[in-house]
Amino acid sequence: MPGLVDPAAARVLAAPNLGWIDVDLDLDALLPETALGVALFNEADAAALAELRHRPDGASNFLFVSGEVGVGGGIVIGSELFTGPGGHAGEVGHIVVDPDGGRCSCGGTGCLETAAGQDAILSAAGLTADGGSRSAAMAALLRALEAAEPGAVAAVEHAGRCLGIALASTARVVDIDSVVLGGHFAVLDPWLREPLLESVKTYAPGKYAPEAITMSAVGEYGALLGAAGSVIRSLVEAPHRLSA
């Protein structure tokens, strides 16, 4: 789920891009006849767990940032997902990067999502996801970038700079020096990376080495892999559930 969740209560606390606030889900009705029931996960946290299991460099401490319609994040420390006391740590998309910026779906102002979310980038580039075809709009954005169209390049570079500000702020608070980028951030890396690195160098000098900011190892299925892996691990720890 792309939002804050309470897994124990099967409740979506807040998913601004879906317009959901305190929505209770009947998970068994949504997905009936599953042998072990249904588990509810925050999308970015699940993807961060997948990155942990599949990183080629074996990194055990990193910040995962997922770029989709919104921007999600997951923090891994000591090979464990850090979710904070309330389970909602890692909301990188709602770090303020421009106090005078636009209104965010969360109700705040100037959040990273307003500059680096998928819709924000497409809008700044003069493109729209007509008819809900977001993939077609992203394909059009990539064509515009490859053709070096100024509007598209400027939109992605602005997103990169704002992402750098958010990463700098996170580094100061969490003391983490490795970042994994997924979603459209990974796709836009050839145009995003230079302004991102310049921004990080300006706002958090010495905190991130360029080679410590890497792209996702699991791609678009990371959230599914991470969620499935968590359920499998829970069965390994409590195998009696298989015969329950």
Side-chain angles (χ1 to χ4, degrees):
M1 180 61 59
L4 304 180
V5 300
D6 180 348
R11 178 177 298 155
V12 179
L13 302 176
N17 290 307
L18 296 178
W20 290 11
I21 300 292
D22 289 331
V23 174
D24 292 314
L25 301 178
D26 186 341
L27 297 178
D28 292 326
L30 286 171
L31 293 167
E33 299 181 10
T34 52
L36 297 168
V38 183
L40 181 64
F41 288 86
N42 169 271
E43 181 182 32
D45 283 346
L49 288 173
E51 293 294 335
L52 174 65
R53 306 304 173 191
H54 295 275
R55 293 301 301 161
D57 56 9
S60 59
N61 302 283
F62 60 86
L63 169 68
F64 174 75
V65 184
S66 173
E68 301 294 344
V69 177
V71 177
I75 301 170
V76 174
I77 299 175
S79 296
E80 296 288 341
L81 183 68
F82 175 75
T83 58
H88 304 146
E91 286 291 290
V92 182
H94 299 292
I95 291 176
V96 176
V97 297
D98 181 4
D100 300 316
R103 192 75 167 166
C104 182
S105 61
C106 75
T109 299
C111 298
L112 176 61
E113 275 192 14
T114 67
Q118 200 172 97
D119 285 350
I121 295 175
L122 291 172
S123 177
L127 301 168
T128 58
D130 292 330
S133 181
R134 207 171 297 279
S135 60
M138 285 300 296
L141 175 63
L142 288 173
R143 290 193 297 271
L145 290 168
E146 289 165 355
E149 293 183 12
V153 172
V156 174
E157 288 182 345
H158 178 65
R161 284 190 291 271
C162 290
L163 178 58
I165 293 172
L167 295 184
S169 299
T170 304
R172 299 296 192 189
V173 174
V174 185
D175 189 26
I176 205 161
D177 59 6
S178 180
V179 176
V180 179
L181 300 178
H184 66 250
F185 294 138
V187 175
L188 299 175
D189 179 58
W191 301 274
L192 185 88
R193 190 170 186 81
E194 185 174 344
L196 167 61
L197 293 178
E198 289 177 357
S199 184
V200 165
K201 182 178 179 181
T202 298
Y203 298 107
K207 292 299 291 184
Y208 297 112
E211 62 272 16
I213 300 178
T214 59
M215 299 303 116
S216 170
V218 295
E220 62 182 311
Y221 300 112
L224 295 176
L225 287 172
S230 292
V231 174
I232 291 169
R233 283 190 296 277
S234 73
L235 293 176
V236 171
E237 294 169 358
H240 64 274
R241 291 180 57 204
L242 289 170
S243 57

